[in-house]
Amino acid sequence: MVAVQLLMAALAATAAQAQTFRRTAACPKLGCVFPPDQVNFIAGQTFDIRVEVQAPINGSQAYNGGKVDPNFKLEIGGKGSKLMDVTKFFGLKDPKPETYNFTWYEDLFAEEAKMPSAVNVISKSYRNVQLHKPGRYKVRLTFNGGETQEATWEVNPIPKCAKAKNLLFFVGDGMATSMISAARLLAHKTVNGKYQTHMAFDSAQGYGSQMTHSLDSFITDSANSASALFTGHKMTVNGLNAYTDSTGKPYNNAKVETIFEMFRRTTGGQVGAVSSAYIADATPAAVCAHTSQRSQYHTVIEQYLSGVTMNHSWTPWGGIDVLFGGGAENFIASPANGNVDQFDRWAEHGYQVGFNKTQLEAFTNEDRALAIFTRGNVSTWLDRHIYTDTLKYALQADGTQGAYDQPGLKDMTLKAIDILSTRAKARRTGWALMSEAALIDKNMHVGDVDRALGDLLELDDTVRAVLEHLKEIGELEETLVIVTADHGHGFDVFGSADTKYLKEQKEDRKKRNAVGVYERSGLSAYVVPQDVSPTTHEIFENPQGHFPITWDPRYTIAHGYAAVSDRREDYEVSKEHERIPSALSQDKTQGYFFNPNDSPEGFAMTGNLDPNSGQGVHSLVDVPIYAWSAGHELFRGVMGNVDIAFRVAEALGLGHTSNVTKPYKP
Amino acid sequence: MVAVQLLMAALAATAAQAQTFRRTAACPKLGCVFPPDQVNFIAGQTFDIRVEVQAPINGSQAYNGGKVDPNFKLEIGGKGSKLMDVTKFFGLKDPKPETYNFTWYEDLFAEEAKMPSAVNVISKSYRNVQLHKPGRYKVRLTFNGGETQEATWEVNPIPKCAKAKNLLFFVGDGMATSMISAARLLAHKTVNGKYQTHMAFDSAQGYGSQMTHSLDSFITDSANSASALFTGHKMTVNGLNAYTDSTGKPYNNAKVETIFEMFRRTTGGQVGAVSSAYIADATPAAVCAHTSQRSQYHTVIEQYLSGVTMNHSWTPWGGIDVLFGGGAENFIASPANGNVDQFDRWAEHGYQVGFNKTQLEAFTNEDRALAIFTRGNVSTWLDRHIYTDTLKYALQADGTQGAYDQPGLKDMTLKAIDILSTRAKARRTGWALMSEAALIDKNMHVGDVDRALGDLLELDDTVRAVLEHLKEIGELEETLVIVTADHGHGFDVFGSADTKYLKEQKEDRKKRNAVGVYERSGLSAYVVPQDVSPTTHEIFENPQGHFPITWDPRYTIAHGYAAVSDRREDYEVSKEHERIPSALSQDKTQGYFFNPNDSPEGFAMTGNLDPNSGQGVHSLVDVPIYAWSAGHELFRGVMGNVDIAFRVAEALGLGHTSNVTKPYKP
């Protein structure tokens, strides 16, 4: 009991730091070590080390009049060994210290009063190092005349042999279990409560769930969580494979190598990324980009091609082999990217370049390929297949507006596999592909559940097609296929809504009577093409896959969100365009109110978010992970998001006891 | 394509029946068969069969002027065999037909206009039958001059040997994954994003998820879903182990034997039920009660003791061995229960009877025991441990008001195990216990997330204690321990809230500025007793288990619900009493508005539910299942709730090729 009481006193003292504003993430004391305490590494994973000694000038943590002490040292040692200076341990020159300052707010009152706290900093960075021997390491920063900040790092054991040659890593961005339950309800028919067909997800051989919170916050963004999935290191919100430091600069931070980079470096294998978002968006960017600011889109595009070349040395890269998605605006020459036309530049590097489905399908499988289908995001499945009139708003890469032959996630992923697999065979290597269903997330943000579920079903359809295709080309047995999400959104279905009744009512509260719960939820009224013959039990399949035929039945799903801005709700699919639930007030300081043009026949709801949020936000819920084939048994039970990177590394055999670099042939 | 098009035409015709109002569940045609098409059975599971032939007098399905045709027949046959009359197949006398009528509304317009549709019915019930041979059976009802309604039933294979001797089946009522993520955040500390301690759930050897929808609705209630978990048969909302027919009567329906009843009948084993709710509530009642109306509390109490004795023959029971929970009001003599004092009655049957924790602990482990600790539900963990002033409202079984020694779920469950295990050893049998954390659900209904999470953590703490205890008494290896939920609630955490800032603002929209999302969510500010020494990495444990010490930090979890009634939100724990978010308007026809006394300093939010709903409702989300020890490997991956009953039956070896009845010794 004594220990507990003492501890509580200690916790009471530190609890004041558990604020929604933070001086610097992973710096509980005034000395910071990146990577911080309790991180794991793949043996031979490349990373940078950075230390900061901070001296707040004012505020609750003011120290020494803001004067930083330049006499600090960083030591490291393996378990049972003596600590030695980090430069000696890694054989590095002692880097020059940097000094600078930054400001932050301690809480909302300070922010409203415009009373920042200022902090002086001295720092050093040690670049491009690796730890090879599995086991524990102790790291100690000694600063401010004897104070210490310690970190324990652990290098994971190296498995005797690899289980998989290839990796297909699907990310359903923002995909929580509640959305999968809803998608199943819409697209699969039940008879007396028993589903007659199943999601491809439901067939997973390995099934688990993972915790998505980040280093600095229990709610992650997609950069941070994709970095955790791909490096095994939790990052700060908005950080891509780099520990955000206090400089505010995008390229100064301590980087960590991703499993895709390690796969390329240690095996010379083929690497690709596919997304239905603009391709500089956080999840695909996390395959190989390094910056604390995910918004550095032009650099992300450059890093796909050339790797990290700015500021500091990094591991060899050689260019991504396949890159398919949206976001032509980040490739076009503009003052913001130094007037470089990236399409030309990639073509000069030997890439096939395409802009629509026809060109995608015409690509040879022998050469590297870049295909950017749209400005902004690729159109959603629902827009491409059901409400195709909305395609009149679609923008091709060259800015032409109107409907054209856009591919979907399945088209992109299957073609990516064919190119990677063909090239890998020619080079006697494996391949690793990341494929992201990005628009689940983007549509959950705006409460457009129909578009989100359409894209979720497209992901499921893609997984089904990919498993079949890999079997056909004889590569299923040597390929690890996983599907997971980077985070969820608070969402659920709780009943049905009689949209006919809702529309006919004049008052908001009367409209809400349209909602039926429990037995009045009834059965799904979404018509699906799969049905079972009552006599032969033969199952009818839709050649287009498992999607509902109707998205506007009279009885729709009544559903809601945990985090909401002010909005209207009519429980109907938005046929004309993606939903825009909230609109900024003319007096912008008033924030967002409901958009009178969204669900105009619905009832108004007030939100629970900061009124400056015009859409929903990510949530805490653990998300599912599904795995098939080589190494699937590693993905069972409850795990952290970082564990996924380590288990992928285990399956692919990425750990090494020395600095392995295999030549890569473009 | 032709097949699909034809099918779509057929579906368009049936889609009109997919309404929020239903004539009778599982009766797509005018002839109904219970159990319906596509159900599975454990070999030797006892059940009733019921057929109805309906003739609507008016409405969209009007038939033959409402005249029922008494010439119908029901046939059954195994796969490949000829169909024979059901009476001959089972060796039964032909039962007398019943005739009656009922009314229903086709939709909300009809209900508001008070225009019911009336239906005449003729029916027959075939009671107390079993199917022993594994495989498929075809069932055919021929009615209305040659029309047919067919059903395929399947009897599951019988495993060669049982994997488990004992069963401990935990139900976290209403527990969705999002709540487990939130509970972990509150009760377990992270260092740089890595949890230092873990939920007991997280250690599960088997992990999966299950679909909770019911026979008649995609949103289940707790009676229906507990029946699915315990019988392998999905039921209609409010039904307890009985297929709800169209009579509206509570005891006429076709019953199905539960795994607990089968365990008792086929092994003579010990059976117990524990709940933090009133013990006649749906989940514990589903252990052995049979009625289409879960609200038949007095009958449920009687069925715990005597089994099914009303109206129809049923399998032998002999009384539950252990029954611990709340709800003394259903035991006390009153006109509603025929003035029977059930406490006296159970004592006469040899039960030890107790009313508080002291008496619970004083029970001998040799004799059967009934302990009813409260009127209504047992107090929540939060009220019993943190806000103990609220116990002044607690009511003992005899009606005395004020704080007293109430046990928690852990106390009840451990004592139940000791009694069951001791008695089982003396009789050379196994034991089966259902233990329900009921107040997770009850508090999620009213948006009292703190009380819900306190009780979720108590369930986790109970699981941890039980696994240790079973190991200590040498029974862990032969016991299957599972934890699952019967359904979820739409809920999630999406950020943090600065409650100090919120309180100081005057306007609702300003109050909402208190919410911080993404990096402004920060780290959990709930202080937990577990912490890790930064030098020795020793973990401090709280002898009271893994619960947060503070429930009212300045920065709380910002959270929301998918289904909400009008309410106020202040993101703070309610210290005086359970939350009552909505209040019925004085003009009751206006429904519920926000309760001005709940979260009075919070901001107002309008709901998305029918205004006659004063609280939240259940949701669609798939819920997790965790399993340990004997047979845990059966509970991996995605499954239906009914599969759980079948896998438990497989683990315990409940299937038999003949009508096995082992004598039970009280």
Side-chain angles (χ1 to χ4, degrees):
Chain A
M1 275 307 284
V2 174
V4 171
Q5 281 166 356
L6 282 174
L7 185 70
M8 284 177 60
L11 283 167
T14 59
Q17 289 170 24
Q19 295 174 355
T20 48
F21 291 70
R22 305 190 73 196
R23 182 167 36 77
T24 307
C27 294
K29 296 186 185 178
L30 295 177
C32 319
V33 178
F34 301 103
D37 188 25
Q38 299 204 33
V39 300
N40 285 45
F41 297 87
I42 305 161
Q45 185 175 27
T46 308
F47 63 102
D48 296 335
I49 303 170
R50 178 181 173 85
V51 293
E52 295 188 7
V53 177
Q54 302 189 346
I57 299 163
N58 60 330
S60 66
Q61 301 176 325
Y63 176 80
N64 195 27
K67 269 209 289 202
V68 291
D69 179 0
N71 298 310
F72 59 90
K73 63 172 176 181
L74 183 67
E75 295 165 296
I76 184 170
K79 199 186 168 186
S81 310
K82 249 186 136 174
L83 297 186
M84 66 174 82
D85 195 83
V86 71
T87 54
K88 197 173 158 199
F89 185 91
F90 288 110
L92 300 168
K93 276 191 197 160
D94 195 32
K96 269 195 188 162
E98 305 164 83
T99 55
Y100 58 93
N101 57 64
F102 70 94
T103 61
W104 67 297
Y105 292 110
E106 297 203 6
D107 67 7
L108 278 167
F109 295 106
E111 186 185 45
E112 287 195 353
K114 298 205 169 69
M115 300 269 285
S117 300
V119 183
N120 285 325
V121 188
I122 185 163
S123 77
K124 281 186 184 174
S125 294
Y126 310 86
R127 305 282 177 184
N128 201 346
V129 299
Q130 298 178 345
L131 290 167
H132 296 117
K133 198 179 158 194
R136 279 204 174 170
Y137 294 78
K138 185 179 260 186
V139 181
R140 184 195 289 152
L141 173 65
T142 309
F143 64 105
N144 286 350
E147 215 183 329
T148 58
Q149 172 68 52
E150 293 197 343
T152 298
W153 293 348
E154 185 150 351
V155 175
N156 288 353
I158 300 170
K160 278 195 189 132
C161 53
K163 294 166 182 273
K165 189 175 169 193
N166 312 314
L167 169 69
L168 181 39
F169 197 134
F170 284 106
V171 177
D173 202 306
M175 181 175 70
T177 300
S178 55
M179 301 165 204
I180 297 167
S181 307
R184 195 192 288 114
L185 181 76
L186 263 62
H188 297 270
K189 181 185 166 71
T190 58
V191 169
N192 295 322
K194 203 163 271 188
Y195 275 109
Q196 303 301 300
T197 52
H198 293 278
M199 302 279 286
F201 296 170
D202 296 344
S203 74
Q205 299 164 290
Y207 176 76
S209 75
Q210 50 121 330
M211 302 175 263
T212 69
H213 56 274
S214 71
L215 183 67
D216 61 328
S217 162
F218 53 79
I219 305 295
T220 188
D221 84 310
S222 291
N224 184 338
S225 53
S227 299
L229 291 170
F230 299 162
T231 65
H233 292 244
K234 285 175 186 278
M235 305 282 167
T236 297
V237 171
N238 299 323
L240 281 171
N241 306 317
Y243 283 103
T244 304
D245 59 35
S246 66
T247 60
K249 292 181 189 166
Y251 307 116
N252 199 55
N253 311 276
K255 301 180 288 300
V256 185
E257 195 177 28
T258 73
I259 48 174
F260 295 97
E261 290 178 288
M262 282 194 83
F263 178 77
R264 165 62 69 79
R265 174 171 62 80
T266 63
T267 75
Q270 294 286 306
V271 175
V274 164
S275 175
S276 46
Y278 56 97
I279 202 69
D281 200 13
T283 309
V287 166
C288 61
H290 298 269
T291 170
S292 60
Q293 296 172 13
R294 56 183 280 182
S295 56
Q296 300 290 317
Y297 300 140
H298 291 115
T299 306
V300 167
I301 301 302
E302 184 58 36
Q303 291 191 355
Y304 282 129
L305 181 64
S306 314
V308 173
T309 55
M310 293 166 74
N311 294 6
H312 312 294
S313 69
W314 192 237
T315 57
W317 175 237
I320 200 158
D321 299 290
V322 170
L323 191 67
F324 297 160
E329 62 278 13
N330 299 313
F331 286 80
I332 296 163
S334 72
N337 76 349
N339 290 308
V340 174
D341 184 310
Q342 288 282 9
F343 293 122
D344 290 349
R345 193 162 139 67
W346 286 56
E348 283 160 21
H349 277 79
Y351 286 81
Q352 311 175 75
V353 179
F355 302 101
N356 54 43
K357 188 176 169 184
T358 311
Q359 292 173 349
L360 174 78
E361 288 175 348
F363 280 160
T364 164
N365 292 334
E366 277 74 33
D367 295 329
R368 306 205 288 186
L370 169 73
I372 301 298
F373 303 104
T374 53
R375 300 212 175 172
N377 302 321
V378 174
S379 299
T380 68
W381 184 91
L382 202 69
D383 292 312
R384 283 181 287 111
H385 291 86
I386 308 291
Y387 301 114
T388 49
D389 278 357
T390 62
L391 296 179
K392 66 188 173 205
Y393 303 115
L395 289 177
Q396 296 189 41
D398 67 3
T400 311
Q401 186 173 327
Y404 62 98
D405 57 334
Q406 274 188 69
L409 190 71
K410 184 163 76 173
D411 309 307
M412 292 194 274
T413 307
L414 287 173
K415 186 66 186 178
I417 290 172
D418 283 344
I419 295 176
L420 294 174
S421 155
T422 304
R423 288 172 52 80
K425 267 192 200 126
R427 286 159 183 78
R428 297 175 183 235
T429 69
W431 53 267
L433 173 63
M434 195 293 298
S435 174
E436 185 204 19
L439 309 184
I440 302 169
D441 177 67
K442 301 207 187 291
N443 283 284
M444 291 311 291
H445 273 293
V446 293
D448 198 329
V449 65
D450 299 284
R451 282 179 175 75
L453 296 185
D455 273 55
L456 194 158
L457 288 168
E458 186 181 41
L459 172 59
D460 190 70
D461 187 50
T462 303
V463 170
R464 188 186 309 271
V466 154
L467 292 172
E468 280 168 18
H469 187 63
L470 288 174
K471 204 170 173 185
E472 275 166 23
I473 64 173
E475 300 202 17
L476 182 58
E477 275 184 34
E478 54 196 8
T479 304
L480 169 63
V481 179
I482 57 182
V483 178
T484 191
D486 48 356
H487 59 79
H489 285 259
F491 163 83
D492 218 333
V493 173
F494 56 79
S496 71
D498 182 345
T499 56
K500 182 180 172 194
Y501 178 92
L502 191 151
K503 258 203 263 289
E504 291 196 15
Q505 311 307 311
K506 298 280 171 266
E507 296 162 35
D508 275 14
R509 284 175 69 88
K510 284 282 281 179
K511 286 176 184 289
R512 285 163 55 187
N513 280 335
V515 173
V517 298
Y518 301 115
E519 71 275 20
R520 288 200 179 183
S521 302
L523 301 177
S524 170
Y526 295 79
V527 177
V528 300
Q530 308 89 347
D531 199 358
V532 173
S533 157
T535 47
T536 65
H537 285 274
E538 182 192 353
I539 294 172
F540 293 84
E541 294 287 347
N542 181 1
Q544 278 148 27
H546 292 268
F547 298 91
I549 292 169
T550 58
W551 291 78
D552 60 349
R554 173 175 165 186
Y555 296 90
T556 57
I557 44 169
H559 60 278
Y561 304 89
V564 282
S565 53
D566 292 7
R567 71 196 197 285
R568 282 189 181 279
E569 187 55 75
D570 61 5
Y571 297 124
E572 286 202 52
V573 62
S574 173
K575 296 179 181 177
E576 313 293 330
H577 47 69
E578 269 183 12
R579 290 191 62 179
I580 307 166
S582 308
L584 197 54
S585 162
Q586 281 199 309
D587 171 3
K588 287 181 184 176
T589 62
Q590 295 296 304
Y592 284 84
F593 292 86
F594 70 77
N595 175 3
N597 300 321
D598 186 81
S599 308
E601 299 197 89
F603 54 89
M605 289 185 73
T606 47
N608 56 5
L609 279 169
D610 173 349
N612 291 313
S613 294
Q615 53 171 237
V617 296
H618 301 172
S619 72
L620 182 72
V621 65
D622 296 356
V623 293
I625 176 160
Y626 304 94
W628 291 262
S629 203
H632 70 265
E633 65 280 4
L634 297 170
F635 299 89
R636 280 183 174 148
V638 181
M639 63 195 88
N641 56 0
V642 290
D643 295 324
I644 292 172
F646 296 122
R647 294 177 194 195
V648 167
E650 183 181 340
L652 290 171
L654 298 183
H656 285 89
T657 52
S658 62
N659 188 346
V660 171
T661 304
K662 271 225 173 167
Y664 162 75
K665 299 171 201 157
Chain B
M1 276 307 285
V2 175
V4 171
Q5 281 165 356
L6 282 174
L7 186 70
M8 282 178 61
L11 283 166
T14 59
Q17 289 171 25
Q19 296 172 355
T20 48
F21 292 69
R22 305 190 75 197
R23 182 167 37 77
T24 306
C27 293
K29 297 187 183 176
L30 294 176
C32 319
V33 179
F34 302 102
D37 188 26
Q38 299 204 33
V39 300
N40 285 44
F41 296 88
I42 304 161
Q45 184 174 28
T46 308
F47 63 102
D48 298 334
I49 303 169
R50 178 182 172 85
V51 293
E52 296 188 6
V53 177
Q54 301 188 347
I57 299 163
N58 61 329
S60 66
Q61 300 176 326
Y63 176 80
N64 195 27
K67 267 210 289 202
V68 292
D69 179 359
N71 297 312
F72 59 91
K73 64 173 175 181
L74 184 67
E75 296 165 295
I76 184 169
K79 201 185 166 185
S81 312
K82 248 186 136 176
L83 296 186
M84 65 173 84
D85 195 83
V86 71
T87 53
K88 197 174 158 198
F89 185 91
F90 287 111
L92 300 167
K93 276 190 196 160
D94 195 32
K96 270 195 185 160
E98 304 165 83
T99 55
Y100 58 92
N101 58 64
F102 71 93
T103 62
W104 67 297
Y105 293 110
E106 298 205 5
D107 68 6
L108 278 167
F109 295 105
E111 186 186 45
E112 286 195 353
K114 299 206 168 69
M115 300 269 285
S117 300
V119 183
N120 285 326
V121 188
I122 186 163
S123 77
K124 281 186 184 175
S125 294
Y126 310 86
R127 304 283 177 183
N128 202 347
V129 299
Q130 298 178 346
L131 290 168
H132 296 116
K133 198 178 159 196
R136 279 205 174 170
Y137 293 80
K138 185 178 263 188
V139 182
R140 184 196 288 153
L141 173 66
T142 309
F143 64 105
N144 286 350
E147 215 182 329
T148 57
Q149 172 69 52
E150 293 197 342
T152 297
W153 294 347
E154 184 151 350
V155 175
N156 287 354
I158 300 171
K160 278 198 186 128
C161 53
K163 293 166 182 272
K165 188 174 168 192
N166 312 315
L167 169 69
L168 181 39
F169 196 135
F170 283 106
V171 177
D173 202 306
M175 179 175 72
T177 300
S178 55
M179 301 165 205
I180 297 167
S181 307
R184 196 191 288 113
L185 182 76
L186 263 62
H188 296 270
K189 181 186 166 71
T190 58
V191 168
N192 295 321
K194 203 162 269 188
Y195 276 108
Q196 303 300 300
T197 53
H198 294 279
M199 302 280 285
F201 295 169
D202 296 344
S203 74
Q205 298 164 290
Y207 176 76
S209 74
Q210 50 120 333
M211 302 176 261
T212 70
H213 58 273
S214 71
L215 183 66
D216 61 328
S217 163
F218 53 79
I219 304 296
T220 189
D221 84 309
S222 291
N224 184 337
S225 54
S227 299
L229 291 170
F230 298 163
T231 66
H233 292 245
K234 285 176 185 279
M235 306 282 167
T236 297
V237 171
N238 298 323
L240 280 170
N241 307 317
Y243 283 103
T244 304
D245 60 35
S246 66
T247 61
K249 292 181 189 167
Y251 307 116
N252 199 56
N253 311 276
K255 301 180 290 298
V256 184
E257 195 177 29
T258 73
I259 48 174
F260 294 97
E261 290 178 288
M262 283 193 83
F263 179 77
R264 165 62 69 79
R265 173 170 63 79
T266 62
T267 74
Q270 295 284 307
V271 175
V274 163
S275 176
S276 46
Y278 56 97
I279 201 71
D281 200 12
T283 309
V287 166
C288 60
H290 299 269
T291 170
S292 60
Q293 296 173 14
R294 57 183 280 183
S295 57
Q296 301 289 318
Y297 299 140
H298 291 114
T299 306
V300 167
I301 300 302
E302 184 58 36
Q303 290 190 356
Y304 282 131
L305 182 63
S306 314
V308 174
T309 55
M310 292 165 74
N311 295 5
H312 311 294
S313 69
W314 193 238
T315 56
W317 175 238
I320 199 159
D321 298 292
V322 170
L323 192 67
F324 297 160
E329 63 278 14
N330 299 314
F331 286 80
I332 296 164
S334 73
N337 77 348
N339 290 308
V340 175
D341 184 312
Q342 288 282 9
F343 293 122
D344 290 348
R345 192 162 140 67
W346 286 56
E348 283 159 20
H349 277 77
Y351 285 81
Q352 311 176 75
V353 179
F355 302 100
N356 54 44
K357 188 176 168 184
T358 311
Q359 291 172 351
L360 174 78
E361 287 175 350
F363 280 159
T364 164
N365 291 336
E366 278 73 34
D367 296 329
R368 306 205 287 185
L370 169 73
I372 301 300
F373 304 103
T374 53
R375 299 212 174 171
N377 302 322
V378 174
S379 298
T380 67
W381 183 90
L382 203 69
D383 291 312
R384 282 182 287 110
H385 291 86
I386 307 291
Y387 301 114
T388 49
D389 278 358
T390 62
L391 295 179
K392 67 188 172 204
Y393 303 115
L395 288 176
Q396 296 189 41
D398 67 1
T400 311
Q401 185 173 327
Y404 61 99
D405 56 335
Q406 274 187 71
L409 190 71
K410 183 163 75 173
D411 308 309
M412 292 194 275
T413 306
L414 288 173
K415 185 66 185 178
I417 290 172
D418 283 343
I419 293 176
L420 294 173
S421 156
T422 303
R423 289 172 52 81
K425 267 192 200 125
R427 287 161 183 77
R428 297 175 182 235
T429 69
W431 52 266
L433 173 63
M434 195 292 299
S435 174
E436 184 203 19
L439 309 183
I440 301 168
D441 176 66
K442 299 203 189 294
N443 283 284
M444 291 311 290
H445 274 292
V446 293
D448 198 330
V449 65
D450 299 284
R451 282 180 175 75
L453 297 185
D455 273 55
L456 194 159
L457 289 167
E458 186 181 41
L459 171 59
D460 190 71
D461 187 50
T462 302
V463 170
R464 188 187 307 272
V466 154
L467 292 171
E468 281 169 19
H469 186 62
L470 288 174
K471 203 169 173 186
E472 276 166 23
I473 64 172
E475 300 201 18
L476 182 58
E477 275 185 34
E478 56 195 7
T479 304
L480 169 63
V481 179
I482 57 182
V483 177
T484 191
D486 47 356
H487 60 79
H489 286 258
F491 163 84
D492 219 333
V493 172
F494 56 80
S496 70
D498 181 345
T499 57
K500 182 181 173 193
Y501 178 92
L502 190 151
K503 258 203 258 285
E504 290 195 15
Q505 310 308 311
K506 299 279 173 267
E507 296 162 36
D508 274 14
R509 283 175 70 88
K510 285 283 281 178
K511 286 176 183 290
R512 285 163 54 187
N513 279 335
V515 172
V517 297
Y518 301 116
E519 71 275 21
R520 289 199 178 183
S521 302
L523 301 177
S524 169
Y526 295 80
V527 177
V528 299
Q530 308 88 346
D531 199 356
V532 173
S533 157
T535 48
T536 65
H537 286 274
E538 181 192 354
I539 294 172
F540 293 84
E541 293 288 346
N542 181 1
Q544 280 148 25
H546 291 269
F547 298 90
I549 292 169
T550 57
W551 290 78
D552 60 349
R554 174 173 165 187
Y555 295 90
T556 58
I557 45 169
H559 61 277
Y561 305 88
V564 282
S565 54
D566 291 7
R567 69 195 198 286
R568 282 188 180 280
E569 188 54 74
D570 62 5
Y571 297 123
E572 284 202 54
V573 60
S574 173
K575 295 180 181 177
E576 313 293 331
H577 48 68
E578 269 182 13
R579 289 191 62 178
I580 307 166
S582 308
L584 197 55
S585 161
Q586 280 198 309
D587 171 4
K588 287 180 184 176
T589 63
Q590 294 297 304
Y592 284 85
F593 291 87
F594 70 77
N595 175 2
N597 301 319
D598 187 81
S599 308
E601 299 197 270
F603 55 88
M605 289 185 74
T606 47
N608 55 5
L609 279 168
D610 172 350
N612 292 314
S613 294
Q615 53 171 238
V617 296
H618 301 173
S619 72
L620 181 72
V621 65
D622 295 356
V623 293
I625 176 160
Y626 304 95
W628 292 262
S629 202
H632 71 266
E633 65 280 4
L634 297 170
F635 299 89
R636 280 183 174 148
V638 181
M639 63 195 88
N641 54 1
V642 290
D643 295 324
I644 292 172
F646 296 122
R647 293 178 194 195
V648 167
E650 183 181 340
L652 291 171
L654 298 185
H656 285 88
T657 52
S658 61
N659 187 346
V660 172
T661 304
K662 268 223 173 170
Y664 162 75
K665 299 173 202 156

